[in-house]
Amino acid sequence: MKVSPSLLSADFANLQADIEMINRSESDYLHLDVMDGVFVPNISFGFPVMKAVAQHCKKPLDVHLMIVEPQKWVSQVRDTGAEIMNVHQEACLHLHSCVQQIHAAGMKAGVTLCPATPVATLADIIEDLDLVLLMSVNPGFGGQPFIPHTVKKVGELRELISRTGSKAEIEVDGGVNDKTGAELAAAGADILVAGSYVFNAPNPEAVIRGLKQL
Ligand code: DX5
Ligand code: ZN
């Protein structure tokens, strides 16, 4: 299993210490949650913070934009050095065009689905995607309980991917811990995002190691 710890639950007054922990850990990515107070009822951080994080972080950045009109910000996301740019299906009127712009900027394109958005909405774009990020909570906050229906969606997405021959990886975000992570692994998830489960733990590196083994 690949693991992408979410910086949203880190100590924002001492990000460097938490980034050093991520660098030492077995994590595959660092997940960055950008919120605009419009698409979601919360505001997190933006490009100056992301750039500062990128200077210290040795892991590839997995950027999750919870913002309206994400296609306006493709070059700024690219300039942070991000490897993956995730945009919400619900936030993109012209999703195909947005994915094309992300690829033209040299990044992997991920499309994110909120809990109420069906997997079937991706049928006509799945072959163009590098990743699908399934939300297992309503986006906006860390520390919320896992929505069990997501396990079924992982299975549906796995089926769509194999039927179309898409190379997209399946990432899941929200309420991930050892128990929900094991269910997601069994259903076919490739990457687990975990915020509070990692950063609120007494030994975050051990928690990351445990998720890696799922
Ligand atoms: C929520 C964010 C998540 C969040 C997950 O909108 O997209 O990445 O950090 O936090 P946990 O793992 O605590 O549910
Ligand atoms: Zn996220």
Side-chain angles (χ1 to χ4, degrees):
M1 181 61 69
K2 294 187 193 174
V3 178
S4 190
S6 167
L7 195 74
L8 193 63
S9 291
D11 179 0
F12 282 11
N14 192 359
L15 283 180
Q16 190 151 3
D18 283 337
I19 294 164
E20 282 165 9
M21 180 282 289
I22 293 292
N23 289 343
R24 286 192 306 270
S25 79
E26 293 175 29
S27 88
D28 297 274
Y29 298 99
L30 178 61
H31 184 87
L32 297 181
D33 290 298
V34 180
M35 304 179 189
D36 65 355
V38 180
F39 182 71
V40 288
N42 198 6
I43 296 177
S44 55
F45 48 76
F47 295 114
V49 172
M50 292 160 77
K51 280 186 180 164
V53 168
Q55 278 182 352
H56 296 283
C57 187
K58 297 193 175 109
K59 308 284 180 174
L61 299 181
D62 162 32
V63 174
H64 175 196
L65 297 176
M66 284 160 272
I67 64 175
V68 296
E69 301 186 296
Q71 69 278 2
K72 285 185 177 171
W73 306 99
V74 173
S75 62
Q76 285 87 342
V77 175
R78 191 261 325 277
D79 290 347
T80 68
E83 179 165 309
I84 304 169
M85 175 166 165
N86 286 295
V87 297
H88 268 263
Q89 185 270 0
E90 304 86 359
C92 290
L93 205 47
H94 299 291
L95 186 59
H96 187 271
S97 165
C98 185
V99 165
Q100 282 183 318
Q101 289 174 54
I102 294 170
H103 281 152
M107 294 179 286
K108 290 185 180 169
V111 170
T112 311
L113 300 184
C114 284
T117 307
V119 164
T121 57
L122 298 179
D124 288 336
I125 200 164
I126 191 72
E127 289 166 73
D128 300 302
L129 303 183
D130 302 291
L131 188 147
V132 176
L133 175 57
L134 294 179
M135 292 307 300
S136 39
V137 296
N138 286 292
F141 302 92
Q144 304 180 78
F146 181 79
I147 298 172
H149 176 65
T150 317
V151 177
K152 186 166 159 262
K153 285 177 83 173
V154 172
E156 289 169 7
L157 181 55
R158 180 51 67 207
E159 201 274 319
L160 177 64
I161 287 170
S162 30
R163 178 156 45 87
T164 54
S166 163
K167 62 181 180 317
E169 292 191 287
I170 301 177
E171 181 173 23
V172 185
D173 184 3
V176 169
N177 55 34
D178 54 348
K179 184 176 168 293
T180 57
E183 290 174 35
L184 294 166
D190 300 299
I191 308 170
L192 297 178
V193 177
S196 51
Y197 182 56
V198 167
F199 286 99
N200 294 350
N203 186 346
E205 285 175 70
V207 167
I208 292 169
R209 199 175 310 122
L211 290 173
K212 285 287 298 170
Q213 286 162 3
L214 292 176

